[in-house]
Amino acid sequence: INAEYMGTPRSKQSFFLAHTHTHSTMATVADQTEKAFQKQDAVFLNSKRLLAKKTSKGIRYYKNVGLGIKTPKEAIDGTYVDKKCPFTGNVSIRGRILRGMVVSTKMKRTVVIRRDYLHYIKKYNRYEKRHRNVSAHCSPAFDQIKEGDIATVGQCRPLSKTIRFNVLKYEKNQVIGSVKKQFRLF
């Protein structure tokens, strides 16, 4: 192949092609941090008629997950692309709805939620404290979530080896001290 194409060097030609493609979608250059081009599956970039909804910033697909849970403003107006998001991706919420305290936010787009409960011991006629940790996918719409917040998660299809839940909403919580060992019933 000739190194010159219509009078432009190869590096300028690939730069031109890459940047004309990204401007046709809502995802800006700042959102393109992965190796693969990030776009929403439900939005066809070259469509003459639109199936997705038009927002103030352009074309964006979002939905209502139901169960009385409002779609976050960031999911409607944001520019993030997340195929596992319950509001903008291809994930349906069905099954159980759980609440728990966020214990860890160290993973990318994943939070660990601690669920505390009491277990009855018949011999001693008393209860003992127990807990389970649940990993849940956290959409970029909830970027402000921190350790100690109370999250409501909904069951969905398996998203990875350990993740079967998706964060639907959260409430800010001021916890004094470490959140790892605190016992709270919901």
Side-chain angles (χ1 to χ4, degrees):
I1 295 176
N2 193 357
E4 301 269 344
Y5 178 70
M6 292 177 43
T8 58
R10 181 176 289 279
S11 61
K12 285 186 180 177
Q13 177 189 350
S14 60
F15 176 83
F16 174 75
L17 290 174
H19 285 282
T20 53
H21 196 325
T22 54
H23 286 302
S24 62
T25 181
M26 215 174 133
T28 60
V29 178
D31 293 329
Q32 299 296 335
T33 57
E34 306 295 329
K35 288 184 178 178
F37 179 71
Q38 300 293 304
K39 70 177 190 67
Q40 286 187 304
D41 287 336
V43 177
F44 182 55
L45 300 176
N46 300 323
S47 177
K48 290 182 175 58
R49 59 188 179 86
L50 298 174
L51 297 174
K53 300 160 190 91
K54 274 193 173 182
T55 62
S56 58
K57 295 184 180 177
I59 305 162
R60 182 148 178 90
Y61 171 78
Y62 61 93
K63 65 181 178 186
N64 182 6
V65 296
L67 305 166
I69 293 164
K70 291 179 69 176
T71 305
K73 192 163 182 57
E74 180 63 27
I76 298 169
D77 296 334
T79 58
Y80 71 87
V81 177
D82 184 14
K83 65 180 183 179
K84 296 178 182 179
C85 173
F87 306 105
T88 63
N90 185 22
V91 176
S92 60
I93 302 298
R94 79 285 188 282
R96 295 180 179 269
I97 305 292
L98 308 175
R99 282 169 53 99
M101 183 185 291
V102 176
V103 175
S104 172
T105 58
K106 293 176 184 173
M107 290 180 275
K108 183 180 178 183
R109 293 188 179 176
T110 304
V111 294
V112 177
I113 292 166
R114 179 184 170 110
R115 301 195 62 241
D116 298 313
Y117 60 96
L118 296 172
H119 179 251
Y120 181 68
I121 308 294
K122 194 162 72 172
K123 178 180 177 183
Y124 298 111
N125 194 24
R126 281 165 175 75
Y127 293 91
E128 68 181 2
K129 296 175 186 174
R130 290 190 178 183
H131 82 275
R132 286 281 180 270
N133 284 342
V134 177
S135 295
H137 180 77
C138 186
S139 167
F142 303 118
D143 269 347
Q144 316 80 275
I145 199 164
K146 293 191 289 290
E147 293 180 6
D149 293 345
I150 306 302
T152 302
V153 295
Q155 191 178 8
C156 58
R157 64 178 168 83
L159 301 177
S160 71
K161 181 182 173 184
T162 58
I163 299 174
R164 278 102 176 91
F165 289 89
N166 229 314
V167 176
L168 300 176
K169 61 182 177 181
Y170 76 99
E171 299 146 25
K172 294 232 179 272
N173 191 22
Q174 281 71 36
V175 175
I176 295 126
S178 173
V179 296
K180 298 249 190 253
K181 292 284 187 180
Q182 291 209 357
F183 188 88
R184 283 193 57 182
L185 292 173
F186 299 104

